[in-house]
């Protein structure tokens, strides 16, 4: 089975790569993986875009400087394994866990592939991928996201990123970026090219709700930033028919957004399975340039083969001990609502027999007895 990063959309509040929870807004980084990353505060202080501290309206907070990863090799670094599916019955929860500040932004050998695709998408249609609401809070959040990313990257990956003379240098691509950014368009677009993640900023508006007020979204898989732009948290989830949102998640998620302290970042994992390798756009789910919202209802699975099915992570999973059996078990435990949301009917006749076969081979080889199953979500 092939694999590539393919994000579940922002409405699911999932995260594979975390973002710090501090600042002018809730910033969700939807990494191609279905990963969301976050960062929160309500009324931002007035400060210059070049400042490197983050202060919330209810507490003073300075984002910790990460430890340098001196062994990092951007060409050889194998992507970290994420297998966010469990044995047994599935329960609908937010599923969050603490984030280590050193692991906010992860880089690996897929960086150049992601970067090239992002750059091509921005060149093709900048306005389609970079948006922000024209108010002071949102513009401040765009600048702050860029500042926080630069501060993190130059300390965490000093072999790749360097800041000097108001310029960020990327040794891997040879690019340079102005620092601080001069406009709220430049800040998120530069941020997008510095990391493998897609980035979304949720801002608390006067109505008391968090709205998707800014983003740099180049690799969403099958949703468009213009479709979600300005939607608030509940609308994002209802519009996408997130399973059991009203009865299981709505109250806790809204409370979570409003009370999340800056100093305690979290990460949440989830997974999605696509019908092709569309990093920037899944062609089997619709036309990228079209106006129709891509969905499983309009998906084309005609002639689908096992080689076209892609799991939202960067490394092949079927050769890993225990993983095929665990994934098959998780899929079989989806209820009807979850099955519809994740498009089970489009691939179960191909995927489940394949996973069962791989699990059987692992069992017969003895590898399941010699190697223990990893802890969730790894």
């Amino acid at each position: 089975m092939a694999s590539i990063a393919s994000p579940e959309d922002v409405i699911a509040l999932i995260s594979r790569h975390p973002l710090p929870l501090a600042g002018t807004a809730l910033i969700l980084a939807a990494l191609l993986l279905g990963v969301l990353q976050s960062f929160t505060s309500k009324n931002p202080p007035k400060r210059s875009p070049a400042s490197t501290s983050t202060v919330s309206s209810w507490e003073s907070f300075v984002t910790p400087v990460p430890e340098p990863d001196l062994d990092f090799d951007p060409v050889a670094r194998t992507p970290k394994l994420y297998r966010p599916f469990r044995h047994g019955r599935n329960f609908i929860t937010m599923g969050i866990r603490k984030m280590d500040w050193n692991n906010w932004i992860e880089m690996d050998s897929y960086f150049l592939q992601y970067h090239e695709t992002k750059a091509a998408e921005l060149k093709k249609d900048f306005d389609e991928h970079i948006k922000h609401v024209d108010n002071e809070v949102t513009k401040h959040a765009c600048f702050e996201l860029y500042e926080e990313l630069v501060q993190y990257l130059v300390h965490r990956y000093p072999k790749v990123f360097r800041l000097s003379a108001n310029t960020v240098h990327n040794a891997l691509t040879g690019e340079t970026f102005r620092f601080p950014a001069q406009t709220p368009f430049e800040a998120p677009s530069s941020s997008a090219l510095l990391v493998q993640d897609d980035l979304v900023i949720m801002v608390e508006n006067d109505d008391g709700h968090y709205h998707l007020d800014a983003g740099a979204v180049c690799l969403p898989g099958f949703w468009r930033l213009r479709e979600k732009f300005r939607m608030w948290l509940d609308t994002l989830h209802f519009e996408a028919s997130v399973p059991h949102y009203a009865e299981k998640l709505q109250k806790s998620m809204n409370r979570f957004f409003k009370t999340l302290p800056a100093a305690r970042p979290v990460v949440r994992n989830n997974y999605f399975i696509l019908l092709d390798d569309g990093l920037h756009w899944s062609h089997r789910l619709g036309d990228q340039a079209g106006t129709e919202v891509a969905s499983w209802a309009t998906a084309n699975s005609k002639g689908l083969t096992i080689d076209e099915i892609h799991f939202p992570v960067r490394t092949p999973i079927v050769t890993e001990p225990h993983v095929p059996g665990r994934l098959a078990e998780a899929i079989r435990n989806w209820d009807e609502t979850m099955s519809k949301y994740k498009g089970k009917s489009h691939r179960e006749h191909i995927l489940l027999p394949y996973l069962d076969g791989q699990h059987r081979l692992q069992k017969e080889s003895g590898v399941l007895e010699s190697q223990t199953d990893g802890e969730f979500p790894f």
Side-chain angles (χ1 to χ4, degrees), residues 66-170:
E67 298 175 2
D69 186 351
L70 299 178
D71 296 326
F72 175 65
D73 182 339
V75 176
R77 171 68 58 87
T78 301
K80 189 172 184 179
L81 303 182
Y82 287 87
R83 305 295 176 258
F85 37 83
R86 300 178 184 271
H87 287 295
R89 186 179 175 187
N90 286 264
F91 295 94
I92 306 299
T93 67
M94 288 182 63
I96 58 175
R97 54 191 174 84
K98 293 180 180 179
M99 185 199 86
D100 183 335
W101 283 104
N102 288 320
N103 298 329
W104 171 24
I105 298 297
E106 297 173 8
M107 287 188 67
D108 55 48
S109 57
Y110 278 72
F111 178 85
L112 287 177
Q113 178 186 345
Y114 283 29
H115 179 275
E116 289 172 4
T117 306
K118 280 188 173 189
E121 286 295 299
L122 289 175
K123 183 177 181 180
K124 182 171 65 177
D125 194 338
F126 184 91
D127 293 338
E128 181 74 4
H129 300 295
I130 306 294
K131 293 185 182 297
H132 75 276
V133 176
D134 189 16
N135 61 44
E136 290 305 309
V137 171
T138 305
K139 289 188 289 186
H140 182 96
C142 290
F143 286 123
E144 186 174 16
L145 171 60
Y146 182 49
E147 296 164 25
E148 293 286 349
L149 282 173
V150 169
Q151 175 178 265
Y152 178 91
L153 293 170
V154 298
H155 285 90
R156 182 61 172 166
Y157 306 112
K159 289 184 178 180
V160 177
F161 299 102
R162 179 173 57 87
L163 177 61
S164 65
N166 296 322
T167 302
V168 181
H169 302 262
N170 183 335

Side-chain angles (χ1 to χ4, degrees), residues 82-86 269-271 311-313 326 330 376-378:
Y82 287 87
R83 305 295 176 258
F85 37 83
R86 300 178 184 271
N269 297 91
N270 205 337
Y271 62 98
F311 186 75
V313 285
R326 199 167 98 200
F376 179 85
F378 306 105

Side-chain angles (χ1 to χ4, degrees), residues 72-371:
F72 175 65
D73 182 339
V75 176
R77 171 68 58 87
T78 301
K80 189 172 184 179
L81 303 182
Y82 287 87
R83 305 295 176 258
F85 37 83
R86 300 178 184 271
H87 287 295
R89 186 179 175 187
N90 286 264
F91 295 94
I92 306 299
T93 67
M94 288 182 63
I96 58 175
R97 54 191 174 84
K98 293 180 180 179
M99 185 199 86
D100 183 335
W101 283 104
N102 288 320
N103 298 329
W104 171 24
I105 298 297
E106 297 173 8
M107 287 188 67
D108 55 48
S109 57
Y110 278 72
F111 178 85
L112 287 177
Q113 178 186 345
Y114 283 29
H115 179 275
E116 289 172 4
T117 306
K118 280 188 173 189
E121 286 295 299
L122 289 175
K123 183 177 181 180
K124 182 171 65 177
D125 194 338
F126 184 91
D127 293 338
E128 181 74 4
H129 300 295
I130 306 294
K131 293 185 182 297
H132 75 276
V133 176
D134 189 16
N135 61 44
E136 290 305 309
V137 171
T138 305
K139 289 188 289 186
H140 182 96
C142 290
F143 286 123
E144 186 174 16
L145 171 60
Y146 182 49
E147 296 164 25
E148 293 286 349
L149 282 173
V150 169
Q151 175 178 265
Y152 178 91
L153 293 170
V154 298
H155 285 90
R156 182 61 172 166
Y157 306 112
K159 289 184 178 180
V160 177
F161 299 102
R162 179 173 57 87
L163 177 61
S164 65
N166 296 322
T167 302
V168 181
H169 302 262
N170 183 335
L172 189 59
T173 65
E175 292 171 307
T176 58
F177 303 88
R178 288 190 296 186
F179 186 84
Q182 301 302 301
T183 73
F185 286 107
E186 181 186 2
S189 60
S190 295
S191 297
L193 293 174
L194 288 173
V195 297
Q196 290 165 243
D197 309 72
D198 273 345
L199 304 164
V200 165
I201 301 177
M202 302 289 289
V203 177
E204 186 180 39
N205 284 205
D206 291 340
D207 60 6
H209 297 296
Y210 278 92
H211 292 249
L212 198 168
D213 280 357
V217 179
C218 303
L219 309 171
F222 57 90
W223 62 276
R224 309 171 184 91
L225 180 57
R226 57 179 152 85
E227 296 169 350
K228 314 293 184 185
F229 189 57
R230 299 293 293 119
M231 283 188 179
W232 60 287
L233 188 63
D234 288 345
T235 306
L236 285 167
H237 286 78
F238 286 128
E239 185 265 349
S241 301
V242 173
H244 311 295
Y245 179 73
E247 65 270 31
K248 299 286 187 179
L249 296 173
Q250 185 176 8
K251 288 184 179 179
S252 59
M253 189 168 290
N254 278 277
R255 183 168 58 249
F256 171 81
F257 267 60
K258 285 183 174 294
T259 61
L260 185 62
R264 294 201 289 272
V266 299
V267 59
R268 182 179 181 226
N269 297 91
N270 205 337
Y271 62 98
F272 216 70
I273 303 172
L274 293 181
L275 306 180
D276 53 48
D277 62 353
L279 187 60
H280 61 290
W281 186 258
S282 175
H283 65 271
R284 281 187 176 270
L285 287 175
D287 180 5
Q288 183 183 17
T291 57
E292 184 178 30
V293 175
S295 72
W296 291 114
T298 58
N300 173 21
S301 55
K302 184 178 180 180
L304 184 69
T305 66
I306 192 65
D307 291 331
E308 294 177 274
I309 298 177
H310 284 65
F311 186 75
V313 285
R314 299 174 185 156
T315 54
I317 67 171
V318 295
T319 59
E320 298 169 17
H322 299 278
V323 170
R326 199 167 98 200
L327 178 56
E329 184 178 347
I331 292 173
R332 288 190 168 99
N333 276 293
W334 293 345
D335 64 17
E336 183 178 353
T337 304
M338 184 66 74
S339 296
K340 182 178 180 181
Y341 177 68
K342 289 186 177 288
K344 179 179 177 181
S345 63
H346 287 278
R347 56 180 121 70
E348 62 180 325
H349 59 293
I350 299 174
L351 181 58
L352 287 176
Y354 181 77
L355 292 174
D356 289 342
Q358 293 298 311
H359 178 68
R360 184 174 60 253
L361 291 174
Q362 290 185 353
K363 189 174 182 179
E364 292 171 353
S365 70
V367 70
L368 300 185
E369 295 180 2
S370 63
Q371 297 192 38

